[in-house]
Amino acid sequence: MAPRTQLSLPQARRVALAAQGFHEGRPDLAVSRHLRRHIQRSHLLQIDSVNVLVRAHYMPLFSRLGAYDRDLLERAAYHPKKRETFEYWGHEASLISLDLHPHFRWRMARAARGEGIYGGLARFGKEKRAFIEEVRREIAARGPIAAGELSGGGKGQGSWWGWSDGKRALEWLFWAGEVTTATRRGFERVYDLPERVLPSAVLNTPTPSEDEAQRELLRRSIRALGIASERCLRDYFRLEVSDAKARIAELVEAGDLLPVIVDGWNGPVYLDPEAKFPRRVEAHALVSPFDPIVWERTRTERLFDFRYRIEIYVPAEKREFGYYCLPFLMGEKIVARVDLKADRSNGRLIVHSIHPEASAPPAEIGPALGDELRLMAGWLNLTDIAAPKEWRKMLGV
């Protein structure tokens, strides 16, 4: 076996940032082709219900493109004739590039068998097959419809986690690929049959074997990550450990993954054979907690020396940095955490707190962070920025 290539940590960091497009300057005006290029690069956008600032799937595009028109993503996600994505379980709930639909059918087939989904829904699928089929027939007859519009769906109990039987049936059908998201009303899914939502060219594409589908997902993962451990690779599309191990070995043998050594990074590390090696990266970006550059927290810590946890589910008195802290990327480093909230009723972007890293003096990061905050406020149609008193002069707000 030939000796492995050795990379310094700064080289690995630049490879990772370039794989996600942070080495490129933002366009003066983002249009559909810029959005399409990001989807082709990242392959998916994670969806999350948290809306304290802006929904998760909008933020990665803002981080890379600046103040783009969010209707561009709405059209790419849900327009009947311009759709470029479909919703499914990729990295959690995600908008996934349409061309990957055939490569997720193995996951849909497993779900239909009660595999790969959480226990309660799997049990529901076995015990309520007649009811689930009744729901599917109703969607076929009446769709597109939301869970609350089912004629016999029942009522949920307690919080939004207290799903009704109708919602459980729809989620089972969604996992199994028998229904899909036609659109959303607010944040509520509206379901319909795939053949009425997705292009026939996509649905008629032959279904690859499980092994080949998983290999392709891992190929896409390394292209999106640039450099990654086994754990990072399988995390991107949430593959099972046993599946990922077998497929990674096959991809190494085929030359689709290049084993490398990264200074200070223990264990096997893999490089995209077509990885870009920019001499420098000069990004300025507020990054969502749901951005691929920080998805896998151990990778974030290794690449950026930045330990990151989202504290949404931490009791207020135990939070260290804030409810919704966004890492601030400046150049090639994450230099601060910024706890943000969109106060839409009063037209304000609230900066609850800013926590700079020890190696990043506030006076050095303030002007660039101020520019990002003004850009974000304008993008969100907010007219004012409320920041901590000690930061206002440095931010210029």
Side-chain angles (χ1 to χ4, degrees):
M1 181 180 292
R4 293 186 179 187
T5 300
Q6 183 155 355
L7 279 68
S8 68
L9 189 55
Q11 284 177 313
R13 189 183 305 128
R14 288 192 288 271
V15 166
L17 289 168
Q20 279 293 313
F22 284 108
H23 66 306
E24 299 175 348
R26 285 170 170 163
D28 293 331
L29 176 65
V31 294
S32 294
R33 63 183 172 85
H34 297 110
L35 181 143
R36 188 176 303 114
R37 185 174 183 184
H38 175 73
I39 293 174
Q40 290 170 349
R41 172 186 280 135
S42 193
H43 313 302
L44 76 170
L45 296 164
Q46 185 177 347
I47 300 170
D48 191 86
S49 62
V50 176
N51 196 27
V52 66
L53 183 66
V54 66
R55 297 287 186 195
H57 54 294
Y58 294 115
M59 264 301 296
L61 292 160
F62 171 79
S63 299
R64 293 152 181 81
L65 303 180
Y68 73 101
D69 182 352
R70 279 175 281 170
D71 282 344
L72 293 175
L73 181 53
E74 288 299 304
R75 287 195 291 271
Y78 303 117
H79 191 284
K81 296 182 179 179
K82 298 180 181 179
R83 184 184 299 268
E84 297 181 40
T85 66
F86 71 103
E87 280 196 27
Y88 192 60
W89 295 101
H91 185 94
E92 301 296 330
S94 304
L95 288 168
I96 305 172
S97 180
L98 264 179
D99 67 312
L100 280 178
H101 186 274
H103 301 282
F104 279 92
R105 292 175 192 159
W106 64 274
R107 182 169 284 173
M108 297 171 185
R110 285 188 182 183
R113 298 194 299 268
E115 303 169 14
I117 55 178
Y118 59 89
L121 191 59
R123 288 192 299 274
F124 182 86
K126 292 179 180 178
E127 296 168 2
K128 301 282 189 175
R129 293 305 289 265
F131 176 70
I132 291 170
E133 180 56 26
E134 182 182 331
V135 168
R136 195 198 68 77
R137 286 196 298 268
E138 182 169 357
I139 292 172
R142 296 181 53 211
I145 57 176
E149 296 171 324
L150 290 170
S151 58
K155 293 184 178 180
Q157 298 178 356
S159 69
W160 68 278
W161 289 105
W163 287 351
S164 65
D165 279 357
K167 175 62 174 174
R168 290 187 182 94
L170 286 168
E171 285 301 307
W172 190 94
L173 289 164
F174 182 81
W175 266 103
E178 295 187 33
V179 301
T180 191
T181 306
T183 189
R184 283 182 179 256
R185 296 179 191 144
F187 195 66
E188 183 182 26
R189 277 197 193 123
V190 178
Y191 300 86
D192 205 348
L193 301 181
E195 55 266 35
R196 295 202 294 237
V197 173
L198 305 180
S200 58
V202 170
L203 295 175
N204 292 335
T205 299
T207 302
S209 67
E210 279 198 10
D211 291 359
E212 179 49 37
Q214 291 164 5
R215 280 192 290 269
E216 182 59 21
L217 292 179
L218 286 165
R219 291 186 196 104
R220 300 291 184 101
S221 299
I222 195 60
R223 289 177 210 159
L225 293 169
I227 191 164
S229 68
E230 177 187 306
R231 178 174 175 173
C232 302
L233 282 171
R234 71 171 185 260
D235 176 74
Y236 202 84
F237 288 110
R238 295 293 168 89
L239 298 180
E240 297 289 338
V241 174
S242 58
D243 291 330
K245 280 184 176 293
R247 304 293 85 77
I248 286 171
E250 294 161 1
L251 291 171
V252 170
E253 181 68 24
D256 293 326
L257 293 173
L258 300 182
V260 296
I261 297 169
V262 177
D263 294 345
W265 196 333
N266 296 327
V269 182
Y270 304 99
L271 179 71
D272 176 10
E274 299 180 6
K276 294 181 175 65
F277 284 81
R279 295 180 64 182
R280 64 174 59 87
V281 175
E282 298 179 352
H284 287 167
L286 285 161
V287 177
S288 162
F290 307 101
D291 192 292
I293 203 67
V294 295
W295 268 346
E296 216 294 306
R297 306 306 197 209
T298 59
R299 181 174 186 264
T300 304
E301 192 164 353
R302 286 168 174 165
L303 282 174
F304 298 99
D305 191 24
F306 183 80
R307 188 178 187 276
Y308 182 49
R309 301 292 185 273
I310 190 168
E311 297 183 326
I312 289 172
Y313 304 110
V314 177
E317 67 276 9
K318 294 184 179 180
R319 289 177 195 141
E320 185 177 1
F321 299 109
Y323 181 84
Y324 198 71
C325 268
L326 278 68
F328 178 50
L329 176 67
M330 189 171 81
E332 300 171 7
K333 298 180 179 180
I334 296 176
V335 297
R337 308 158 204 259
V338 188
D339 186 18
L340 295 176
K341 178 180 179 178
D343 179 7
R344 298 174 184 88
S345 61
N346 293 303
R348 298 187 306 166
L349 178 62
I350 299 176
V351 185
H352 287 301
S353 62
I354 302 171
H355 300 272
E357 292 295 281
S359 60
E364 291 185 11
I365 68 176
L369 178 55
D371 289 344
E372 268 317 282
L373 291 170
R374 282 186 288 275
L375 186 68
M376 174 173 281
W379 178 56
L380 297 178
N381 298 314
L382 304 173
T383 56
D384 188 28
I385 299 173
K389 183 177 180 180
E390 66 274 17
W391 277 91
R392 290 174 194 164
K393 184 175 181 180
M394 287 181 285
L395 296 172
V397 300

mmCIF file of all heavy atoms in Angstrom, residues 3 5 42 69 111 137 161 173 177 182-183 190 195 199 217 235 245 280 283 291 301 324 334 341 355 358 370 397:
data_model
loop_
_atom_site.group_PDB
_atom_site.id
_atom_site.type_symbol
_atom_site.label_atom_id
_atom_site.label_comp_id
_atom_site.label_asym_id
_atom_site.label_seq_id
_atom_site.Cartn_x
_atom_site.Cartn_y
_atom_site.Cartn_z
ATOM 1 N N PRO A 3 2.182 4.994 0.754
ATOM 2 C CA PRO A 3 2.076 5.795 1.975
ATOM 3 C C PRO A 3 0.946 6.811 1.879
ATOM 4 O O PRO A 3 0.650 7.343 0.808
ATOM 5 C CB PRO A 3 3.450 6.480 2.062
ATOM 6 C CG PRO A 3 3.989 6.457 0.669
ATOM 7 C CD PRO A 3 3.471 5.184 0.058
ATOM 8 N N THR A 5 -1.094 10.272 2.275
ATOM 9 C CA THR A 5 -0.833 11.705 2.256
ATOM 10 C C THR A 5 -1.047 12.268 3.652
ATOM 11 O O THR A 5 -1.969 11.875 4.359
ATOM 12 C CB THR A 5 -1.791 12.407 1.275
ATOM 13 O OG1 THR A 5 -1.587 11.871 -0.027
ATOM 14 C CG2 THR A 5 -1.575 13.906 1.265
ATOM 15 N N SER A 42 -24.121 20.472 -1.614
ATOM 16 C CA SER A 42 -24.427 19.987 -0.271
ATOM 17 C C SER A 42 -25.390 18.801 -0.280
ATOM 18 O O SER A 42 -25.427 18.027 0.672
ATOM 19 C CB SER A 42 -25.030 21.131 0.561
ATOM 20 O OG SER A 42 -25.071 20.825 1.915
ATOM 21 N N ASP A 69 -33.226 35.907 -2.004
ATOM 22 C CA ASP A 69 -34.687 35.883 -1.949
ATOM 23 C C ASP A 69 -35.130 34.481 -1.519
ATOM 24 O O ASP A 69 -34.913 33.493 -2.242
ATOM 25 C CB ASP A 69 -35.248 36.227 -3.327
ATOM 26 C CG ASP A 69 -36.775 36.274 -3.360
ATOM 27 O OD1 ASP A 69 -37.416 35.888 -2.364
ATOM 28 O OD2 ASP A 69 -37.316 36.680 -4.402
ATOM 29 N N ALA A 111 -38.117 0.890 6.045
ATOM 30 C CA ALA A 111 -39.148 1.459 6.908
ATOM 31 C C ALA A 111 -40.468 0.720 6.746
ATOM 32 O O ALA A 111 -41.175 0.460 7.724
ATOM 33 C CB ALA A 111 -39.324 2.944 6.599
ATOM 34 N N ARG A 137 -55.525 5.568 1.155
ATOM 35 C CA ARG A 137 -56.609 5.660 0.176
ATOM 36 C C ARG A 137 -57.282 7.035 0.228
ATOM 37 O O ARG A 137 -57.670 7.585 -0.807
ATOM 38 C CB ARG A 137 -57.650 4.557 0.415
ATOM 39 C CG ARG A 137 -57.178 3.167 -0.012
ATOM 40 C CD ARG A 137 -58.356 2.206 -0.124
ATOM 41 N NE ARG A 137 -59.033 2.033 1.162
ATOM 42 C CZ ARG A 137 -58.738 1.083 2.035
ATOM 43 N NH1 ARG A 137 -57.767 0.211 1.771
ATOM 44 N NH2 ARG A 137 -59.408 0.983 3.174
ATOM 45 N N TRP A 161 -45.749 16.729 20.194
ATOM 46 C CA TRP A 161 -45.258 15.343 20.135
ATOM 47 C C TRP A 161 -46.407 14.355 20.309
ATOM 48 O O TRP A 161 -46.277 13.178 19.978
ATOM 49 C CB TRP A 161 -44.212 15.105 21.224
ATOM 50 C CG TRP A 161 -42.924 15.799 20.962
ATOM 51 C CD1 TRP A 161 -42.456 16.924 21.568
ATOM 52 C CD2 TRP A 161 -41.912 15.424 20.025
ATOM 53 N NE1 TRP A 161 -41.229 17.274 21.066
ATOM 54 C CE2 TRP A 161 -40.860 16.371 20.123
ATOM 55 C CE3 TRP A 161 -41.796 14.375 19.103
ATOM 56 C CZ2 TRP A 161 -39.718 16.295 19.335
ATOM 57 C CZ3 TRP A 161 -40.657 14.299 18.327
ATOM 58 C CH2 TRP A 161 -39.641 15.249 18.446
ATOM 59 N N LEU A 173 -46.347 6.329 6.494
ATOM 60 C CA LEU A 173 -46.406 6.337 5.032
ATOM 61 C C LEU A 173 -45.272 7.186 4.442
ATOM 62 O O LEU A 173 -44.713 6.850 3.395
ATOM 63 C CB LEU A 173 -47.758 6.871 4.563
ATOM 64 C CG LEU A 173 -48.957 5.950 4.794
ATOM 65 C CD1 LEU A 173 -50.263 6.728 4.646
ATOM 66 C CD2 LEU A 173 -48.925 4.759 3.834
ATOM 67 N N GLY A 177 -42.142 5.960 2.030
ATOM 68 C CA GLY A 177 -42.110 6.510 0.684
ATOM 69 C C GLY A 177 -43.431 6.403 -0.057
ATOM 70 O O GLY A 177 -43.484 6.637 -1.273
ATOM 71 N N ALA A 182 -46.155 17.534 -0.446
ATOM 72 C CA ALA A 182 -46.510 18.318 -1.632
ATOM 73 C C ALA A 182 -46.120 19.773 -1.441
ATOM 74 O O ALA A 182 -45.580 20.418 -2.330
ATOM 75 C CB ALA A 182 -48.002 18.206 -1.913
ATOM 76 N N THR A 183 -46.390 20.274 -0.234
ATOM 77 C CA THR A 183 -46.027 21.646 0.125
ATOM 78 C C THR A 183 -46.094 21.742 1.641
ATOM 79 O O THR A 183 -46.312 20.746 2.332
ATOM 80 C CB THR A 183 -46.973 22.665 -0.551
ATOM 81 O OG1 THR A 183 -46.472 23.986 -0.345
ATOM 82 C CG2 THR A 183 -48.390 22.571 -0.017
ATOM 83 N N VAL A 190 -48.071 19.126 4.076
ATOM 84 C CA VAL A 190 -49.263 18.762 3.315
ATOM 85 C C VAL A 190 -48.867 17.587 2.429
ATOM 86 O O VAL A 190 -47.956 17.697 1.616
ATOM 87 C CB VAL A 190 -49.774 19.941 2.471
ATOM 88 C CG1 VAL A 190 -50.988 19.525 1.650
ATOM 89 C CG2 VAL A 190 -50.116 21.130 3.375
ATOM 90 N N GLU A 195 -46.425 10.114 -6.984
ATOM 91 C CA GLU A 195 -46.630 10.237 -8.433
ATOM 92 C C GLU A 195 -47.352 11.525 -8.812
ATOM 93 O O GLU A 195 -47.354 11.915 -9.985
ATOM 94 C CB GLU A 195 -47.389 9.021 -8.981
ATOM 95 C CG GLU A 195 -48.710 8.740 -8.315
ATOM 96 C CD GLU A 195 -48.598 7.723 -7.183
ATOM 97 O OE1 GLU A 195 -47.558 7.707 -6.478
ATOM 98 O OE2 GLU A 195 -49.573 6.953 -6.999
ATOM 99 N N PRO A 199 -41.393 14.497 -10.230
ATOM 100 C CA PRO A 199 -41.333 14.313 -11.685
ATOM 101 C C PRO A 199 -41.286 12.834 -12.067
ATOM 102 O O PRO A 199 -40.623 12.028 -11.407
ATOM 103 C CB PRO A 199 -40.035 15.028 -12.077
ATOM 104 C CG PRO A 199 -39.766 15.985 -10.969
ATOM 105 C CD PRO A 199 -40.283 15.332 -9.728
ATOM 106 N N LEU A 217 -24.407 7.444 -1.675
ATOM 107 C CA LEU A 217 -24.612 8.413 -0.598
ATOM 108 C C LEU A 217 -23.291 8.762 0.081
ATOM 109 O O LEU A 217 -23.053 9.917 0.443
ATOM 110 C CB LEU A 217 -25.613 7.871 0.423
ATOM 111 C CG LEU A 217 -27.063 7.742 -0.073
ATOM 112 C CD1 LEU A 217 -27.942 7.172 1.029
ATOM 113 C CD2 LEU A 217 -27.611 9.079 -0.556
ATOM 114 N N ASP A 235 -22.536 9.974 9.294
ATOM 115 C CA ASP A 235 -23.465 10.916 9.903
ATOM 116 C C ASP A 235 -24.163 11.781 8.863
ATOM 117 O O ASP A 235 -25.295 12.209 9.074
ATOM 118 C CB ASP A 235 -22.709 11.809 10.895
ATOM 119 C CG ASP A 235 -23.595 12.884 11.509
ATOM 120 O OD1 ASP A 235 -24.433 12.537 12.365
ATOM 121 O OD2 ASP A 235 -23.451 14.060 11.127
ATOM 122 N N LYS A 245 -19.512 0.953 7.385
ATOM 123 C CA LYS A 245 -18.195 0.291 7.442
ATOM 124 C C LYS A 245 -17.936 -0.533 6.191
ATOM 125 O O LYS A 245 -16.864 -0.470 5.594
ATOM 126 C CB LYS A 245 -18.108 -0.595 8.696
ATOM 127 C CG LYS A 245 -17.807 0.158 9.988
ATOM 128 C CD LYS A 245 -17.655 -0.826 11.127
ATOM 129 C CE LYS A 245 -17.269 -0.117 12.413
ATOM 130 N NZ LYS A 245 -15.912 0.478 12.355
ATOM 131 N N ARG A 280 -6.112 30.010 0.757
ATOM 132 C CA ARG A 280 -6.720 30.648 1.922
ATOM 133 C C ARG A 280 -8.221 30.718 1.711
ATOM 134 O O ARG A 280 -8.705 30.627 0.579
ATOM 135 C CB ARG A 280 -6.148 32.050 2.166
ATOM 136 C CG ARG A 280 -6.444 33.046 1.035
ATOM 137 C CD ARG A 280 -5.984 34.444 1.412
ATOM 138 N NE ARG A 280 -4.565 34.473 1.682
ATOM 139 C CZ ARG A 280 -3.626 34.657 0.740
ATOM 140 N NH1 ARG A 280 -3.980 34.805 -0.530
ATOM 141 N NH2 ARG A 280 -2.359 34.691 1.050
ATOM 142 N N ALA A 283 -13.828 33.761 4.438
ATOM 143 C CA ALA A 283 -15.271 33.793 4.654
ATOM 144 C C ALA A 283 -15.623 34.676 5.840
ATOM 145 O O ALA A 283 -14.859 34.796 6.799
ATOM 146 C CB ALA A 283 -15.783 32.383 4.893
ATOM 147 N N ASP A 291 -26.137 23.647 10.128
ATOM 148 C CA ASP A 291 -25.323 23.767 8.913
ATOM 149 C C ASP A 291 -24.380 22.577 8.824
ATOM 150 O O ASP A 291 -23.795 22.159 9.830
ATOM 151 C CB ASP A 291 -24.510 25.065 8.970
ATOM 152 C CG ASP A 291 -23.874 25.417 7.634
ATOM 153 O OD1 ASP A 291 -22.963 24.673 7.208
ATOM 154 O OD2 ASP A 291 -24.260 26.423 7.030
ATOM 155 N N GLU A 301 -14.991 20.252 16.434
ATOM 156 C CA GLU A 301 -13.974 20.479 17.467
ATOM 157 C C GLU A 301 -12.572 20.194 16.929
ATOM 158 O O GLU A 301 -11.628 20.930 17.201
ATOM 159 C CB GLU A 301 -14.277 19.605 18.681
ATOM 160 C CG GLU A 301 -13.470 19.966 19.908
ATOM 161 C CD GLU A 301 -14.048 19.371 21.186
ATOM 162 O OE1 GLU A 301 -15.155 18.781 21.146
ATOM 163 O OE2 GLU A 301 -13.388 19.503 22.226
ATOM 164 N N TYR A 324 -29.997 30.141 21.334
ATOM 165 C CA TYR A 324 -29.799 29.867 19.901
ATOM 166 C C TYR A 324 -28.531 30.558 19.424
ATOM 167 O O TYR A 324 -28.570 31.595 18.767
ATOM 168 C CB TYR A 324 -31.019 30.346 19.098
ATOM 169 C CG TYR A 324 -31.115 29.736 17.720
ATOM 170 C CD1 TYR A 324 -31.448 28.397 17.562
ATOM 171 C CD2 TYR A 324 -30.889 30.500 16.580
ATOM 172 C CE1 TYR A 324 -31.548 27.829 16.290
ATOM 173 C CE2 TYR A 324 -30.992 29.937 15.306
ATOM 174 C CZ TYR A 324 -31.317 28.607 15.174
ATOM 175 O OH TYR A 324 -31.417 28.048 13.929
ATOM 176 N N ILE A 334 -13.592 29.732 13.369
ATOM 177 C CA ILE A 334 -14.796 30.120 14.091
ATOM 178 C C ILE A 334 -14.330 30.934 15.291
ATOM 179 O O ILE A 334 -13.599 30.435 16.152
ATOM 180 C CB ILE A 334 -15.621 28.898 14.520
ATOM 181 C CG1 ILE A 334 -16.134 28.148 13.277
ATOM 182 C CG2 ILE A 334 -16.784 29.322 15.402
ATOM 183 C CD1 ILE A 334 -16.873 26.865 13.587
ATOM 184 N N LYS A 341 -32.004 36.426 18.103
ATOM 185 C CA LYS A 341 -33.449 36.229 18.020
ATOM 186 C C LYS A 341 -34.035 37.274 17.083
ATOM 187 O O LYS A 341 -33.660 38.450 17.139
ATOM 188 C CB LYS A 341 -34.102 36.356 19.394
ATOM 189 C CG LYS A 341 -35.634 36.211 19.354
ATOM 190 C CD LYS A 341 -36.251 36.349 20.729
ATOM 191 C CE LYS A 341 -37.768 36.227 20.655
ATOM 192 N NZ LYS A 341 -38.391 36.321 21.994
ATOM 193 N N HIS A 355 -20.070 35.810 22.440
ATOM 194 C CA HIS A 355 -19.001 35.158 23.191
ATOM 195 C C HIS A 355 -17.825 34.899 22.256
ATOM 196 O O HIS A 355 -17.818 33.914 21.509
ATOM 197 C CB HIS A 355 -19.490 33.836 23.787
ATOM 198 C CG HIS A 355 -20.650 33.983 24.719
ATOM 199 N ND1 HIS A 355 -20.505 34.232 26.070
ATOM 200 C CD2 HIS A 355 -21.993 33.935 24.482
ATOM 201 C CE1 HIS A 355 -21.699 34.314 26.633
ATOM 202 N NE2 HIS A 355 -22.616 34.136 25.695
ATOM 203 N N ALA A 358 -11.156 32.733 22.841
ATOM 204 C CA ALA A 358 -10.020 33.333 23.535
ATOM 205 C C ALA A 358 -8.999 33.920 22.569
ATOM 206 O O ALA A 358 -8.335 34.908 22.868
ATOM 207 C CB ALA A 358 -9.363 32.294 24.436
ATOM 208 N N GLY A 370 -20.419 42.989 12.766
ATOM 209 C CA GLY A 370 -21.427 44.026 12.563
ATOM 210 C C GLY A 370 -21.967 44.020 11.146
ATOM 211 O O GLY A 370 -23.182 44.164 10.920
ATOM 212 N N VAL A 397 -23.382 49.476 15.499
ATOM 213 C CA VAL A 397 -24.849 49.488 15.488
ATOM 214 C C VAL A 397 -25.371 50.359 16.620
ATOM 215 O O VAL A 397 -24.679 50.693 17.542
ATOM 216 C CB VAL A 397 -25.412 48.057 15.625
ATOM 217 C CG1 VAL A 397 -24.929 47.182 14.486
ATOM 218 C CG2 VAL A 397 -25.036 47.425 16.964
#
